[in-house]
Amino acid sequence: MNMIMIPSSLFITTIYLVWFPLVRSSYLDYSDALSKSILFFEGQRSGFLPQDQRIGWRGNSGLSDGWMYNTDLTGGYYDAGDNVKFGFPMAFTTTMLAWSVIEFGDLMPPNELRNALVAVRWSTDYLLKTVSQPNRIFVQVGDPNIDHSCWERPEDMDTARTVYAVDAPNPASDVAGETAAALAASSMAFRSVDPEYADTLLRSAVQAFQFADNFRGAYSDNANIRDGACPFYCDFSGYQDELLWGAAWLRRASQDNSYLSYLENNGKTLGADDNINEFGWDNKHAGLNVLVSKEVFEGNMYSLESYKASADSFMCTLIPDSSSSHVEYTPGGLIYKPGGSNLQHATTISFILLVYAKYLDPTSQTVDCGNVFVSPALLRMQAKKQVDYILGENQMGMSYMVGYSNNFPQRIHHRGSSLPSIRDHPEFIGCKEGSSYFNSTNPNPNVLVGAIVGGPGEDDVYGDDRGDFRQSEPTTYINAPFVGVLAYFAANPNPS
């Protein structure tokens, strides 16, 4: 979509949208929310847990992952409330955690920056294993159809730990491209604290991108993958955006001009101007355009101007006073898109609003939305509205982050949280034996601190129903961008 330009002659005056901070300070504790948003990832860990594991009701799980291929695929994260390791959303989660550190890590207290890097590394250590064999990428561990038929703690798993691998020349451009992005971004996050590890990440990112680009196509189009990936994490939007996304992160991490040329030469053919108003685990376009815009702002890279124009256009869709506004909001002001797990949109969009505002600031530029000129301060205000809604300033008076404030979801759709912990109930709980806990109306016995649930419906109503996974299930990719967002607001609770 092209940026909508309306001649100023049609207006008596041109409006400049700026925002002045309220005199009162927000009562929300962004620092507490930041700590908890990072802590959540420890509750999602798979593998052998370390001694400094802070969520004590979790135990070791998935210790034989990879045995089907005689390889070690332990570690990584369960994506949500189940016990499957989906590579596509895990890689995106990692990219967003790393991007949070890159942009806002300097605002984090030292201990939280350390915790954030630990969260990144728990995933990158796993992702390195998935691309460790030539011309092969492991994209998933666990059969979701079997797993979802059980309500079972990860520590008790006795379901098939099926390994899904893609071998060249079969394609996996989406997962390999996102993995390249994740490893490249993470190399930047670790560059100053562990340069040797950063080098390892960047080398593997280059190899993952070569696989993605040489064997083009969607991973879920492979017959041996489709039944495991779909409909959960099918590639619905195409693999082309992940190629550009991976190249953009490799350009930023390596400063290699070959990736700059890739972005210049492939933008049109890979659809950089298509579906630009989406950003999430499946569609990278809006994030891609914001990321590449940094180089336009800093280096006058006019060959990349189309990416910046698309980023500007996306920002304009988010501003209610803009003539090109078309993002839907609930009556309470929450960004809303149909399909479930709605807060993933609120957190990712809040993140790129803040990042774009940061990129704009040094240039003293505004975003030209035709009838309005939007300042960085207004972009930050739009993000803050989403953050404050999530943390409790909503019609329900509820924090949608578990363990934050006195009113938060009690019955989240999450196996480990809803079943007795192995510390309190060391006896095995089988596949179907967990059903009574799933069907119970009692609050979950284990509080998954920091988890952000899918969130309320388009009417701002949240039912706190464990069975309604669209509203009550947390995911890693809802939390990951929120880490950066909260780091910013913890340091700038009343931004200007």
Side-chain angles (χ1 to χ4, degrees):
M1 173 181 146
N2 295 320
M3 181 171 64
I4 297 175
M5 299 294 295
I6 301 177
S8 58
S9 60
L10 296 181
F11 295 88
I12 297 174
T13 58
T14 301
I15 303 169
Y16 286 81
L17 283 183
V18 296
W19 178 70
F20 299 97
L22 297 172
V23 175
R24 69 174 179 85
S25 295
S26 174
Y27 68 91
L28 296 171
D29 189 340
Y30 300 113
S31 295
D32 183 48
L34 170 63
S35 299
K36 290 173 176 173
S37 70
I38 299 170
L39 178 59
F40 157 74
F41 288 94
E42 296 192 19
Q44 297 302 111
R45 284 172 168 172
S46 181
F48 188 84
L49 303 187
Q51 287 194 334
D52 61 358
Q53 167 80 11
R54 293 179 293 165
I55 292 188
W57 50 264
R58 278 297 322 281
N60 301 333
S61 62
L63 299 183
S64 63
D65 284 359
W67 70 268
M68 291 176 59
Y69 277 80
N70 195 30
T71 193
D72 175 14
L73 292 176
T74 59
Y77 291 118
Y78 303 119
D79 72 300
D82 57 15
N83 301 324
V84 182
K85 297 192 300 201
F86 294 98
F88 199 12
M90 195 194 308
F92 177 68
T93 293
T94 312
T95 307
M96 296 310 296
L97 273 174
W99 200 2
S100 291
V101 170
I102 292 165
E103 301 295 350
F104 304 113
D106 60 338
L107 302 179
M108 297 179 186
N111 62 315
E112 294 306 343
L113 176 57
R114 176 195 170 276
N115 289 333
L117 286 170
V118 168
V120 173
R121 184 157 187 164
W122 194 269
S123 193
T124 52
D125 282 352
Y126 171 79
L127 292 177
L128 287 172
K129 297 175 184 179
T130 68
V131 293
S132 62
Q133 299 179 12
N135 290 319
R136 169 181 285 170
I137 180 170
F138 295 103
V139 298
Q140 186 172 315
V141 180
D143 184 323
N145 297 296
I146 298 174
D147 180 90
H148 291 175
S149 70
C150 296
W151 197 256
E152 197 169 34
R153 299 178 297 197
E155 296 83 5
D156 286 334
M157 269 192 297
D158 56 356
T159 53
R161 299 301 288 168
T162 307
V163 173
Y164 297 84
V166 176
D167 293 307
N170 297 304
S173 298
D174 31 30
V175 182
E178 184 62 64
T179 300
L183 296 175
S186 298
S187 77
M188 295 183 66
F190 279 100
R191 179 60 60 192
S192 63
V193 295
D194 192 341
E196 185 176 344
Y197 187 61
D199 287 343
T200 297
L201 293 170
L202 189 55
R203 280 194 304 271
S204 293
V206 170
Q207 293 167 0
F209 183 76
Q210 289 172 344
F211 185 99
D213 196 37
N214 289 343
F215 310 106
R216 292 189 180 186
Y219 87 117
S220 49
D221 286 345
N222 292 299
N224 66 318
I225 304 296
R226 188 180 304 114
D227 290 344
C230 301
F232 314 104
Y233 294 105
C234 259
D235 185 336
F236 297 102
S237 69
Y239 63 87
Q240 294 87 346
D241 52 326
E242 278 82 26
L243 289 175
L244 293 169
W245 179 240
W249 274 111
L250 279 162
R251 165 62 180 171
R252 184 153 172 192
S254 69
Q255 291 299 300
D256 188 322
N257 284 333
S258 67
Y259 298 109
L260 172 62
S261 298
Y262 191 97
L263 293 167
E264 292 170 337
N265 298 331
N266 290 283
K268 293 292 184 186
T269 57
L270 293 176
D273 297 330
D274 301 338
N275 302 314
I276 61 170
N277 298 327
E278 296 285 342
F279 187 47
W281 62 262
D282 184 34
N283 189 321
K284 310 307 174 342
H285 282 291
L288 163 72
N289 293 324
V290 167
L291 178 66
V292 175
S293 294
K294 185 175 193 291
E295 195 146 7
V296 180
F297 288 128
E298 294 181 349
N300 296 317
M301 286 283 186
Y302 297 112
S303 60
L304 301 174
E305 181 65 34
S306 63
Y307 292 91
K308 178 185 172 296
S310 292
D312 282 349
S313 180
F314 177 65
M315 297 300 149
C316 294
T317 69
L318 301 171
I319 306 301
D321 291 323
S322 166
S323 59
S324 53
S325 173
H326 70 250
V327 170
E328 183 179 346
Y329 291 87
T330 67
L334 178 69
I335 289 171
Y336 184 80
K337 296 191 177 187
S341 297
N342 179 62
L343 289 185
Q344 66 180 301
H345 306 299
T347 61
T348 52
I349 288 173
S350 295
F351 180 86
I352 57 175
L353 280 165
L354 291 181
V355 171
Y356 206 57
K358 180 183 176 183
Y359 294 170
L360 278 168
D361 263 338
T363 71
S364 301
Q365 292 185 43
T366 57
V367 179
D368 182 355
C369 295
N371 65 316
V372 295
F373 289 85
V374 177
S375 67
L378 184 68
L379 297 179
R380 286 190 280 266
M381 184 185 76
Q382 292 298 113
K384 189 173 186 295
K385 287 178 180 177
Q386 299 305 303
V387 175
D388 291 354
Y389 184 108
I390 291 170
L391 294 181
E393 291 189 358
N394 55 65
Q395 277 80 334
M396 300 288 293
M398 174 178 282
S399 161
Y400 292 110
M401 176 184 284
V402 174
Y404 178 87
S405 85
N406 295 320
N407 185 23
F408 56 84
Q410 301 291 318
R411 300 164 189 85
I412 67 173
H413 184 97
H414 190 278
R415 286 158 175 78
S417 172
S418 66
L419 289 153
S421 75
I422 57 168
R423 309 213 187 297
D424 296 334
H425 189 291
E427 296 80 18
F428 177 79
I429 300 175
C431 169
K432 299 301 182 183
E433 293 172 30
S435 299
S436 61
Y437 298 99
F438 173 78
N439 293 321
S440 169
T441 57
N442 293 331
N444 287 9
N446 308 308
V447 179
L448 184 56
V449 174
I452 303 171
V453 295
E458 59 187 329
D459 56 359
D460 294 300
V461 174
Y462 181 80
D464 201 9
D465 176 4
R466 192 178 297 113
D468 186 357
F469 66 89
R470 290 178 176 82
Q471 290 198 358
S472 66
E473 187 169 23
T475 72
T476 57
Y477 47 87
I478 296 177
N479 268 65
F482 215 50
V483 169
V485 171
L486 290 169
Y488 177 81
F489 286 114
N492 303 277
N494 291 286
S496 59

